[in-house]
Amino acid sequence: MYKVTVGNMLHLYGRFGQKADYAVRLSVRMTEEVDREILSHALEKTRQRYPYYQVRIRKNESEYYFEENPLPIVLLCTNDKISLNTEQTNYNIWAVCFCGDMIHLDFYHGITDGTGMYMVLATLLYYYCEERYGITDHTGILTLEDPIRPEESMDPQESLPVIDPPAGKAPEFFQAGDYGNLTPSIQRVWDIELPEETFMRFSSANDASPGTMISLLLARAIDGLFPNRKEEIANSYLINARPMLGIERTSHNCFSTAYLKYSDRVRAMPFDHQCTVYRGMTFIQSDEDYVIRALTTGAARNRRAFAGAPLLEDKKRAFTELLNSRRKAATFVVSYVGKWRFPAIGEHIREFWTHVPYPKGIIAQIAAVNGKIFMSLSQTYEEDFIVEALLQELEDNDIPYVVRRMMDNDDAHVPEPV
């Protein structure tokens, strides 16, 4: 039995309380059709490298917990949505799917974050490309040659100072869905491909990174669509907090948030100055002391919610209320995982998409590999005009793009354990 740690509490209790499927699908299009037998070998080696992820979610009257699962991680031949923690996937919290030239890694977000999932994906693709293409360089990739260190199973947020969480209500920002001219819908995804060289040249010339540039362009798009709004626009920009906490290999959810405000003062600036301000806000909120303070506050709130709720249903309500209290904390969310760091493997990747759960609003997930940037833009509205406005921002700045697909989100179902 593994208890749910401080860093994972909100993700697990709160999302089950919201009845939200909380899984991520990382989809990679290879340059050739996938070889099932080789992928099966790669999956088996990857499973062995990450034993702490071979668990199922259980519950009792007072809490959820993880339990070791002796059943193998499954390999499914499908592009369709699957169900984790069910019979279909041997009750495991992750699985691998493939079809044609596509490989999908489906992973439960309540046990790890994007950084943790990318570690697993890198191991899987290394072992696949090693056997398929003879690749031998695994620098920076966890393989069976690397010992499993204790820190991989440690949640650094468990060791943060115990404080009384500060009182006061979090700032609230503009929500497009509250404006009255958007129709709620299931989550839909646009996969948009950009040429990396062109986009990076444009971003660098304006003192921006891909993540801060998309943050600013999307803020400008929304600002133009809702000129009479009363609230400010601000997005949350997700930051890997492992370096700040000093545990690079932790497998747990470990990220912080920078809030980038598109204020009236920023709107009045020239475009390149807007970019500099956004990058500056990111630097300040990525500072080690700033991140530790923010995570210490979050850990304190999680501890208080957990301790004040004796029964499981009480904990679900408490963490759901905590999530709901943050509903207006940002207008939209942006996550940029950076450039794929393993070029020998990247040569065999044509596309790389990140589809994430987001119960309400807009989220952009950005990755880069093999000379291209891949942005998955998700929203929970039927109307397309926010996406169209962002694409217009790209066109206005001479940035070419290709919309590869528009689809319902295909991340896995994760039913509550019975």
Side-chain angles (χ1 to χ4, degrees):
M1 174 180 175
Y2 302 102
K3 294 183 72 67
V4 178
T5 62
V6 169
N8 292 334
M9 285 176 179
L10 183 65
H11 303 279
L12 198 149
Y13 287 97
R15 296 307 182 186
F16 276 137
Q18 290 183 329
K19 302 186 185 303
D21 288 320
Y22 204 52
V24 174
R25 168 165 277 194
L26 303 179
S27 296
V28 178
R29 184 179 295 278
M30 308 299 288
T31 53
E32 296 183 282
E33 187 166 323
V34 175
D35 185 303
R36 178 175 191 146
E37 183 176 1
I38 294 176
L39 185 58
S40 178
H41 297 164
L43 174 56
E44 174 57 22
K45 293 175 182 177
T46 303
R47 178 196 67 79
Q48 293 177 42
R49 181 55 189 78
Y50 300 94
Y52 40 81
Y53 289 138
Q54 192 161 350
V55 296
R56 64 183 296 181
I57 310 167
R58 307 286 288 197
K59 70 177 181 180
N60 55 35
E61 289 187 354
S62 61
E63 62 186 333
Y64 294 115
Y65 59 93
F66 295 107
E67 180 181 79
E68 289 185 6
N69 187 352
L71 298 175
I73 306 296
V74 302
L75 178 63
L76 301 171
C77 182
T78 183
N79 284 327
D80 296 337
K81 287 173 71 83
I82 64 170
S83 294
L84 299 175
N85 207 57
T86 67
E87 184 178 6
Q88 183 190 26
T89 51
N90 281 342
Y91 297 97
N92 282 297
I93 51 84
W94 69 282
V96 174
C97 301
F98 74 100
C99 187
D101 57 0
M102 295 295 298
I103 296 174
H104 309 285
L105 175 63
D106 291 290
F107 224 103
Y108 177 55
H109 200 341
I111 198 169
T112 193
D113 56 14
T115 299
M117 296 174 203
Y118 284 117
M119 291 180 185
V120 175
L121 180 66
T123 302
L124 178 73
L125 293 182
Y126 166 70
Y127 279 124
Y128 180 80
C129 292
E130 178 193 41
E131 185 172 347
R132 184 78 186 266
Y133 303 110
I135 289 174
T136 58
D137 182 10
H138 53 82
T139 304
I141 300 174
L142 295 182
T143 69
L144 292 171
E145 297 178 25
D146 300 299
I148 300 172
R149 299 178 183 174
E151 69 183 54
E152 294 182 40
S153 299
M154 294 171 56
D155 182 352
Q157 295 175 78
E158 291 277 348
S159 301
L160 291 172
V162 177
I163 64 170
D164 290 328
K169 190 176 180 181
E172 295 186 350
F173 297 102
F174 175 71
Q175 304 294 304
D178 293 344
Y179 205 73
N181 57 348
L182 286 167
T183 308
S185 73
I186 60 173
Q187 189 176 351
R188 304 168 70 200
V189 184
W190 284 258
D191 284 337
I192 303 164
E193 180 184 304
L194 310 166
E196 183 181 22
E197 182 178 357
T198 302
F199 192 75
M200 289 300 297
R201 185 168 58 247
F202 171 72
S203 297
S204 298
N206 288 285
D207 193 27
S209 69
T212 58
M213 179 59 75
I214 291 298
S215 296
L216 179 57
L217 293 179
L218 188 49
R220 287 165 59 96
I222 293 172
D223 178 60
L225 293 171
F226 302 94
N228 298 320
R229 58 187 169 76
K230 296 179 181 179
E231 306 94 338
E232 282 188 331
I233 292 170
N235 73 282
S236 61
Y237 185 44
L238 303 184
I239 299 168
N240 174 25
R242 287 165 176 78
M244 298 78 169
L245 296 183
I247 301 186
E248 292 278 2
R249 285 195 182 182
T250 179
S251 61
H252 296 274
N253 279 285
C254 189
F255 60 90
S256 185
T257 299
Y259 290 95
L260 311 182
K261 298 180 183 179
Y262 190 72
S263 63
D264 292 342
R265 186 174 181 181
V266 171
R267 185 197 300 107
M269 295 177 179
F271 181 74
D272 59 339
H273 290 192
Q274 293 178 343
C275 293
T276 299
V277 169
Y278 264 50
R279 190 155 191 172
M281 287 189 285
T282 303
F283 280 139
I284 290 170
Q285 295 176 76
S286 301
D287 175 77
E288 180 178 315
D289 290 342
Y290 187 102
V291 169
I292 291 174
R293 285 196 302 272
L295 291 183
T296 298
T297 297
R301 288 174 177 150
N302 288 350
R303 290 191 187 103
R304 182 175 64 179
F306 187 88
L311 299 178
L312 174 61
E313 291 302 317
D314 298 327
K315 291 181 174 68
K316 286 167 63 177
R317 280 192 294 271
F319 282 99
T320 301
E321 289 173 3
L322 197 54
L323 277 177
N324 290 342
S325 71
R326 297 163 48 185
R327 187 179 73 83
K328 293 189 175 183
T331 308
F332 59 93
V333 177
V334 173
S335 176
Y336 173 51
V337 298
K339 186 173 182 176
W340 180 256
R341 295 184 291 114
F342 316 108
I345 298 171
E347 291 178 4
H348 302 281
I349 297 175
R350 286 198 295 162
E351 298 178 17
F352 183 10
W353 308 104
T354 306
H355 294 174
V356 300
Y358 200 60
K360 188 172 184 180
I362 307 166
I363 184 168
Q365 291 280 335
I366 310 164
V369 64
N370 203 9
K372 297 175 182 176
I373 289 177
F374 301 98
M375 177 173 60
S376 295
L377 186 66
S378 303
Q379 68 171 34
T380 51
Y381 317 121
E382 288 186 10
E383 292 78 13
D384 299 345
F385 57 78
I386 294 177
V387 180
E388 292 170 352
L390 175 61
L391 298 179
Q392 187 61 54
E393 286 284 336
L394 295 174
E395 292 179 16
D396 290 346
N397 288 287
D398 297 321
I399 301 170
Y401 64 85
V402 177
V403 178
R404 288 296 177 192
R405 64 191 58 82
M406 181 183 71
M407 58 186 290
D408 293 343
N409 197 15
D410 58 349
D411 60 337
H413 296 299
V414 189
E416 184 175 0
V418 294

